[in-house]
Amino acid sequence: MDRAKKIRKIFEKLQTNTTVLSVLLGCLFTFFVLTGQWAQYGSEQSAGVYVIQGVILFAVYYGICLFLFRQRDKVCSGKKHYTERKLDFIWREKVSPGKEFLIVFVCFVILYLPAFLAVFPGIFGYDGPVQIEQFFSSERPITAHHPLAHTILLGVCFSVGNFFFHDYNAGLALYTILQNLIMSFAFSYAIYWMRKRGAIFWGRLLALLFFATNPIIQLMNCNTTKDTLFSGFFLLVFIFYIDILRNWSKKGALKFMVASILMCLFRNQGYYLLLFCFIILLLTCRKKKVNVCKVVLLSAIIGWFCMSPLISLLQIEKGDPREMLSLPMQQMAAVWKQDEMGETVLDPKDKQKLEELISVDGLEQFQEDSADPVKSAFSTAVLKEDLLGYARLYLKIGIDHTKSYIDTFFKLSSGYWDPYQYGNYRGLMYSNVFPEINICGIERTPILPSYYQYLEDMTNCISRLPVIRLIFSQALPVWLMFFLFAVALRERNSEIGNALILLLGQWGILLLSPAFLIRYTLPLIVCVPVLVMLVFSPNLFRRKENSDKINLKEK
């Protein structure tokens, strides 16, 4: 009992001690950057350089976190600048929330038009060509490896375009327009939601500019990857989850369920995220949020049904589960490669067993920054025959070659937390791929070639632009997420903590990805404006009477 009391006292001090939290966050963010540097340069830099970098970075990040905590406290105290309140009052009197939604939506449609014309009729990228080949070709049947809803949507758009214009390029243009409209709606609704929850005018304007001018978002809105629509629905799920955690209502629950089901339909991991949210909510809130637990669990069950039993009922071949094993197979392949190069020694029996699971040809094509070559040579059937044996093999090799496993993890995943990385595959955001299976004859005919050149240059040079690279960084939402977790701990606010669990689950899945790709991080990137609002709008998760005052002002 005495030990439990001591632990509780330490925890309570931690919750109220801004300095301690700032130190912990400073250490975490310094670790993120240093491990990212290690993944890129390794032993090329001396230990002294890493130490000096660590000291400087810690001082900077500690100061930033302390500043943000104090600014949050200042906002909590109600100390706002008069011009901000006056501008908000004037705008609120002249423009209703519904009218603002329409204005913002039109702005997005107009501002996304140059990008669409620059890559006209769209970017036939990532897995789009493979999905189209499955939809139209009898030689390669449709599988559930890619979300069935997305494959069907792509195929229907291509078919409609070809039916009316006798050209599949018109179908790609139709899909690109539809996707831009859906994403414009999601972003507009997020800004509308921010206004209804008390965000100031300038904050909403900056959110609009972030969504509209971000070259990553502009390109991904025109790309045939499933991650784009998944990101739009993920953003809606996040804000609806905040709503039902903050103030339960049947209408809010219905919105959450609809957005959740759509999210699940466009990415296989959707229902895993919901299940993760349900488990954490059940452990932290228990009876207080029983209605929220029910709707999250129901959404997860419906999402699971759509992505598994329904697929079986339709007699569609399921995807290969090897996708989830990218990290373990990459780690074992790295040790095998080091053994071949004479840098380490792998037990001959272990090596032989590994070569039965992953062919020698695939192991020889090992790349440090991508598991795809190894994954293509991985045999799921062999794994299923001796699942326990290969689990033991993975652990045995890991115990003997721990440093190699850690290095491989950093090289494969550090881009998901290091803001100074943008990866080696940025060209996939604007390139048409798989020309050998372009059965529909898709050709790009840019109407604004100069704007396309701007987007390509920005994508390739963004990591060298001092401020822009941080604002548009794929790691920014991760850093904001951890800062807000510290806020939730400091303010003893389980609601904001549970809302962030959705993002934490998505980030955790990213760490198991076969490569660092910007498209995987898009669901987190589009949440940045909402996360910034949560940092600087503390009243959103405060007492109900405070939030009611905000809503009364809107009315």
Side-chain angles (χ1 to χ4, degrees), residues 25-42 45 50 53-54 56-58 60-61 410 414-421 469-470 473 475 479:
L25 287 171
C27 291
L28 178 65
F29 296 153
T30 301
F31 171 79
F32 281 167
V33 175
L34 290 183
T35 51
Q37 292 293 302
W38 174 264
Q40 294 182 80
Y41 305 112
Q45 292 185 167
Y50 285 113
Q53 281 183 333
I56 296 173
L57 291 173
F58 171 77
V60 171
Y61 298 142
F410 286 159
S414 59
Y416 294 119
W417 64 69
D418 178 16
Y420 299 99
Q421 292 187 50
R469 72 179 179 189
L470 295 177
S473 170
W479 287 43

Side-chain angles (χ1 to χ4, degrees), residues 3 16 24 45 76 86 100 104 178 222 250 290 321 327 331 350 365 380 412 429 455 511:
R3 184 179 294 178
T16 56
L24 292 175
Q45 292 185 167
C76 279
K86 185 176 180 180
E100 180 176 316
V104 171
L178 179 61
C222 298
K250 291 182 178 179
V290 63
L327 178 61
Q331 289 173 321
D350 295 341
Q365 295 176 31
T380 306
L412 204 61
M429 285 192 283
L455 290 174
L511 301 184

Side-chain angles (χ1 to χ4, degrees), residues 192-246:
Y192 165 84
W193 178 88
M194 290 170 67
R195 170 170 173 167
K196 296 291 282 186
R197 303 302 176 269
I200 62 173
F201 174 83
W202 288 113
R204 302 196 302 276
L205 179 60
L206 288 175
L208 187 150
L209 293 175
F210 176 85
F211 285 133
T213 63
N214 191 325
I216 294 171
I217 293 178
Q218 290 185 47
L219 287 170
M220 296 304 290
N221 280 0
C222 298
N223 202 302
T224 54
T225 178
K226 53 189 172 285
D227 296 272
T228 302
L229 291 175
F230 173 79
S231 300
F233 298 129
F234 181 90
L235 173 61
L236 294 176
V237 170
F238 180 46
I239 60 180
F240 293 149
Y241 193 34
I242 292 173
D243 280 346
I244 59 176
L245 283 168
R246 170 179 169 268

Side-chain angles (χ1 to χ4, degrees), residues 125-156:
Y126 292 109
D127 298 313
V130 177
Q131 291 173 265
I132 285 298
E133 185 188 28
Q134 289 182 358
F135 188 87
F136 287 109
S137 175
S138 57
E139 297 179 1
R140 180 179 290 191
I142 292 179
T143 70
H145 176 74
H146 305 291
L148 186 61
H150 185 252
T151 300
I152 292 174
L153 179 62
L154 266 175
V156 168

Side-chain angles (χ1 to χ4, degrees), residues 243-300:
D243 280 346
I244 59 176
L245 283 168
R246 170 179 169 268
N247 189 15
W248 167 263
S249 71
K250 291 182 178 179
K251 183 179 179 181
L254 181 61
K255 289 180 180 178
F256 174 84
M257 286 188 65
V258 171
S260 296
I261 293 168
L262 289 170
M263 178 184 74
C264 292
L265 288 174
F266 283 88
R267 206 68 163 86
N268 296 332
Q269 68 210 44
Y271 62 88
Y272 289 116
L273 294 174
L274 296 172
L275 187 60
F276 181 53
C277 289
F278 166 75
I279 293 171
I280 300 301
L281 188 61
L282 196 64
L283 293 173
T284 55
C285 291
R286 298 179 183 178
K287 293 182 180 179
K288 291 192 296 182
K289 298 293 181 183
V290 63
N291 288 330
V292 182
C293 285
K294 289 179 181 178
V295 75
V296 173
L297 179 60
L298 182 59
S299 300

Side-chain angles (χ1 to χ4, degrees), residues 457-492:
D457 291 343
M458 275 293 292
T459 304
N460 292 323
C461 300
I462 197 169
S463 58
R464 299 196 293 270
L465 302 175
V467 178
I468 298 297
R469 72 179 179 189
L470 295 177
I471 295 175
F472 294 155
S473 170
Q474 76 290 339
L476 178 60
V478 177
W479 287 43
L480 289 171
M481 176 186 72
F482 280 108
F483 178 79
L484 284 166
F485 271 124
V487 166
L489 180 64
R490 177 175 179 252
E491 299 177 4
R492 304 181 185 184

